[in-house]
Amino acid sequence: MNDRPIGVFDSGLGGLTVLKEIMKILPNENIVYFGDTARVPYGARSKETIIKYTFQAINFLMSKNVKAIVIACNTATARSLKEANEKYDIPIIGVIEAGARTAAYSTKNKIVGVIGTEGTIRSKAYNVEIGKIDKEIKIIDKACPLFVPIVEEGWSNTEIASLTAQKYLGELIEQGIDSLVLGCTHYPLLKRTVGEIVGENIKLVNPAKETAKDLKKILENKELIRLDDSIKPSYEYYVSDIPEKFASIGEEFLKKEIQDIKNVEIQKY
Amino acid sequence: MNDRPIGVFDSGLGGLTVLKEIMKILPNENIVYFGDTARVPYGARSKETIIKYTFQAINFLMSKNVKAIVIACNTATARSLKEANEKYDIPIIGVIEAGARTAAYSTKNKIVGVIGTEGTIRSKAYNVEIGKIDKEIKIIDKACPLFVPIVEEGWSNTEIASLTAQKYLGELIEQGIDSLVLGCTHYPLLKRTVGEIVGENIKLVNPAKETAKDLKKILENKELIRLDDSIKPSYEYYVSDIPEKFASIGEEFLKKEIQDIKNVEIQKY
């Protein structure tokens, strides 16, 4: 039973930063990753469509006999996590709650910054989750549409990234945030650049890391941790379309070699 | 008859740069613009889907009694222009042919650069059109994914734009291009920055301008030009979803005030 893999799902390759944190904190677990690269980005799609895509991803992962699923995509979490938990019995968690909770507990002056894609920022998903914990927290949010292509070009530590971060974050710093949620799965790659701009007094919250910690706790509580470490864990990668860059960019995200990426016809699930 | 408007269609607001050139060269024409903002970007969608969307846009524009249509979108042109011309009787032109032709006739050393979104570059649409005119022309193409968000942020004339242009275009300059096709409807806004990087010896080809010239010729040949200039021309703007920024960014594209943007339920057409 405990040998069953963990399923990780994202609309593309951003979720690999979440996978990286899971591998780090749960180094003994088998994992199946699915990236819906044929239909990325989800941002502009309707709630109904995103629910359909999420259910297809979950059905596929369940066909691999997973014991728990992480929706490692902000858009899919915001639009479909609740519906997924109503429909399926296994534990399914998203990336928003853990990040929001960490920000809510780490802020001292109750001014929190949230950055993400235009879709995530427009959805106000982090604002809602943080508000559930503490209504008095003021949230300064900002869409940063250049950050994803900067990361995907491999330019995270260039002057372009630094100037862009200055432009996006100047306003948030001026308004006195003491915590900043990196609300997009691509952004952990910009941690160094963003950290240099905001300085040491602003705490960076990486929802990928917090989500991995939550997952570990859930597996422990449900006694689903893989205990037998005599056989090395296996990592499987599936995508709905193989973009040329998936392996090369993906390895940058994961800091690990990605072997044997398989194609899946996701619309059949 | 000649009072009938020209229809201009794009997946979003990029086509406004084409509209601008049409207004300049045909200042007397009534125009209806449709931006499919609910379903932008088309880049990742299948050929079948794009054909369906294009036909819906054409059906909508024909309900406005247009006399000719410009598909002011590189993706839609590459994927559906042929099919649109097979199906409909009115003149329908795209943005690729005129730009490709201009580049093919302007290059002296037969080395042409083409820049665009990842979708346009992957489609090789400009390569095919240029190859039809002169097979000996060598094409150096390059996807520039940061350019669209830079333009949409209003950062076209910043250091970020300049550094990004240097990174993207350095390779093309080294390979000796003497003409550069701005193969994305957003890129005319980067003309100054790109011009500074490539220098005076590389001719910038703006397909929007060339397409407007082609349209004028077609209307003249078919005797469809609006001659009565006693009444000022009317400009109507329709979108399938009103994004907050459409008017503000759109005015930057069009260099003109955009009034009275109307919503259309495009899936009904």
Side-chain angles (χ1 to χ4, degrees), chain A residues 38 40-41 44-45 118 122 142-146 149-150 152-153 155 158-160 163-164 167-168 244-245, chain B residues 38-41 44-45 118 122 143-146 149-150 152-153 155 158-160 163-164 167-168 244-245:
Chain A
V40 70
R45 304 193 191 271
E118 288 193 59
R122 215 183 311 118
K142 176 84 182 161
C144 305
L146 257 77
I150 283 175
E152 294 198 349
E153 291 288 10
W155 295 356
T158 63
E159 197 186 347
I160 291 171
L163 290 169
T164 302
K167 278 219 176 216
Y168 282 138
E244 283 165 53
K245 294 196 221 159
Chain B
R39 305 190 293 201
V40 72
R45 303 191 192 273
E118 288 193 59
R122 215 181 314 119
C144 305
L146 257 79
I150 283 175
E152 295 197 348
E153 291 287 10
W155 296 356
T158 63
E159 198 187 345
I160 292 171
L163 289 170
T164 303
K167 278 218 175 218
Y168 282 139
E244 285 164 51
K245 296 196 219 159

Side-chain angles (χ1 to χ4, degrees), chain B residues 5-19:
Chain B
I6 295 162
V8 178
F9 151 56
D10 179 40
S11 57
L13 47 74
L16 293 171
T17 58
V18 182
L19 182 60

Side-chain angles (χ1 to χ4, degrees), chain A:
Chain A
M1 165 75 177
N2 297 356
D3 272 344
R4 286 166 61 197
I6 294 161
V8 178
F9 151 56
D10 179 41
S11 58
L13 48 76
L16 293 172
T17 58
V18 182
L19 182 60
K20 175 173 160 266
E21 300 297 338
I22 296 172
M23 287 173 170
K24 207 190 284 178
I25 203 170
L26 291 162
N28 202 28
E29 296 293 333
N30 298 314
I31 307 178
V32 180
Y33 182 90
F34 169 62
D36 195 3
T37 48
R39 306 189 292 201
V40 70
Y42 282 8
R45 304 193 191 271
S46 70
K47 187 176 166 72
E48 290 66 41
T49 302
I50 292 169
I51 289 173
K52 187 178 118 189
Y53 289 179
T54 299
F55 286 2
Q56 287 178 330
I58 293 172
N59 292 339
F60 166 69
L61 290 170
M62 289 186 74
S63 79
K64 297 288 167 192
N65 199 27
V66 294
K67 59 186 174 189
I69 288 174
V70 177
I71 302 181
C73 168
N74 283 281
T75 304
T77 298
R79 298 300 191 93
S80 67
L81 177 63
K82 192 170 147 267
E83 288 75 6
N85 270 311
E86 283 163 9
K87 178 165 168 154
Y88 299 93
D89 284 331
I90 61 166
I92 302 174
I93 64 171
V95 277
I96 292 172
E97 201 198 318
R101 195 178 58 236
T102 306
Y105 287 111
S106 80
T107 182
K108 297 207 164 61
N109 70 359
K110 303 211 178 197
I111 311 177
V112 169
V114 176
I115 55 175
T117 63
E118 288 193 59
T120 298
I121 296 305
R122 215 183 311 118
S123 78
K124 299 279 173 201
Y126 281 96
N127 310 45
V128 169
E129 287 299 324
I130 293 172
K132 278 185 198 165
I133 298 164
D134 186 345
K135 263 186 253 174
E136 285 181 9
I137 293 173
K138 188 179 165 193
I139 294 162
I140 320 283
D141 55 5
K142 176 84 182 161
C144 305
L146 257 77
F147 277 169
V148 166
I150 283 175
V151 168
E152 294 198 349
E153 291 288 10
W155 295 356
S156 298
N157 297 306
T158 63
E159 197 186 347
I160 291 171
S162 189
L163 290 169
T164 302
Q166 271 172 44
K167 278 219 176 216
Y168 282 138
L169 303 172
E171 201 182 303
L172 281 73
I173 298 166
E174 268 171 42
Q175 297 206 46
I177 60 164
D178 72 351
S179 300
L180 177 63
V181 179
L182 305 177
C184 167
T185 50
H186 280 61
Y187 294 1
L189 283 99
L190 288 161
K191 223 173 94 180
R192 203 170 81 192
T193 299
V194 167
E196 279 165 11
I197 300 302
V198 301
E200 283 176 7
N201 294 329
I202 295 175
K203 185 186 155 66
L204 300 185
V205 177
N206 177 358
K209 202 176 241 170
E210 308 305 329
T211 301
K213 286 187 207 162
D214 273 16
L215 175 66
K216 189 179 177 192
K217 246 178 250 165
I218 290 167
L219 294 184
E220 283 170 347
N221 288 343
K222 296 197 181 275
E223 297 184 349
L224 287 169
I225 294 275
R226 178 169 178 253
L227 300 169
D228 172 20
D229 60 0
S230 62
I231 302 165
K232 268 179 48 171
S234 83
Y235 301 133
E236 289 185 68
Y237 302 92
Y238 293 87
V239 290
S240 49
D241 184 27
I242 301 188
E244 283 165 53
K245 294 196 221 159
F246 187 87
S248 58
I249 303 178
E251 290 176 2
E252 184 62 32
F253 277 62
L254 199 58
K255 308 283 181 211
K256 193 192 262 300
E257 206 182 333
I258 297 181
Q259 282 174 324
D260 191 21
I261 303 165
K262 295 181 205 88
N263 219 324
V264 50
E265 284 190 64
I266 194 65
Q267 63 282 0
K268 291 194 178 162
Y269 285 87

Side-chain angles (χ1 to χ4, degrees), chain B residues 4-245:
Chain B
R4 286 166 60 196
I6 295 162
V8 178
F9 151 56
D10 179 40
S11 57
L13 47 74
L16 293 171
T17 58
V18 182
L19 182 60
K20 175 173 161 263
E21 300 297 337
I22 296 172
M23 287 173 170
K24 207 191 283 178
I25 204 171
L26 292 162
N28 202 28
E29 296 292 334
N30 298 315
I31 307 178
V32 180
Y33 183 88
F34 168 63
D36 195 3
T37 48
R39 305 190 293 201
V40 72
Y42 282 9
R45 303 191 192 273
S46 69
K47 188 176 165 73
E48 291 65 41
T49 303
I50 293 170
I51 290 172
K52 187 178 117 190
Y53 290 179
T54 299
F55 286 1
Q56 285 178 330
I58 293 172
N59 292 339
F60 166 70
L61 291 169
M62 289 187 74
S63 78
K64 298 287 166 191
N65 199 27
V66 294
K67 60 187 174 189
I69 288 174
V70 177
I71 301 181
C73 170
N74 282 283
T75 304
T77 299
R79 298 299 192 93
S80 67
L81 177 64
K82 193 170 147 266
E83 288 76 6
N85 269 311
E86 282 164 8
K87 178 166 170 154
Y88 299 93
D89 284 332
I90 62 166
I92 303 174
I93 63 170
V95 277
I96 293 172
E97 201 198 319
R101 195 178 58 236
T102 306
Y105 287 112
S106 81
T107 181
K108 296 205 164 62
N109 71 359
K110 305 213 176 194
I111 310 178
V112 169
V114 176
I115 55 175
T117 62
E118 288 193 59
T120 299
I121 296 305
R122 215 181 314 119
S123 79
K124 299 278 172 200
Y126 280 96
N127 309 44
V128 169
E129 286 299 322
I130 292 171
K132 279 185 199 166
I133 298 164
D134 186 345
K135 263 185 260 176
E136 284 180 10
I137 292 172
K138 186 181 165 190
I139 294 161
I140 321 283
D141 55 5
K142 176 85 183 160
C144 305
L146 257 79
F147 278 170
V148 165
I150 283 175
V151 168
E152 295 197 348
E153 291 287 10
W155 296 356
S156 298
N157 297 307
T158 63
E159 198 187 345
I160 292 171
S162 190
L163 289 170
T164 303
Q166 272 173 42
K167 278 218 175 218
Y168 282 139
L169 303 171
E171 199 182 305
L172 281 72
I173 298 167
E174 266 172 42
Q175 297 206 45
I177 59 164
D178 73 350
S179 300
L180 177 62
V181 179
L182 306 176
C184 167
T185 52
H186 281 60
Y187 295 0
L189 282 97
L190 287 161
K191 223 173 96 179
R192 204 171 79 193
T193 298
V194 168
E196 280 166 12
I197 299 301
V198 301
E200 284 176 5
N201 294 329
I202 295 176
K203 185 185 156 67
L204 299 185
V205 176
N206 178 356
K209 200 176 242 170
E210 308 305 329
T211 301
K213 286 187 206 163
D214 272 17
L215 175 66
K216 188 179 179 194
K217 246 179 248 165
I218 290 166
L219 295 184
E220 283 170 347
N221 288 343
K222 297 198 180 276
E223 296 183 350
L224 286 170
I225 295 276
R226 179 168 178 252
L227 299 169
D228 172 20
D229 60 2
S230 62
I231 302 166
K232 268 181 47 171
S234 83
Y235 301 132
E236 289 184 70
Y237 302 91
Y238 293 87
V239 289
S240 49
D241 183 28
I242 300 189
E244 285 164 51
K245 296 196 219 159

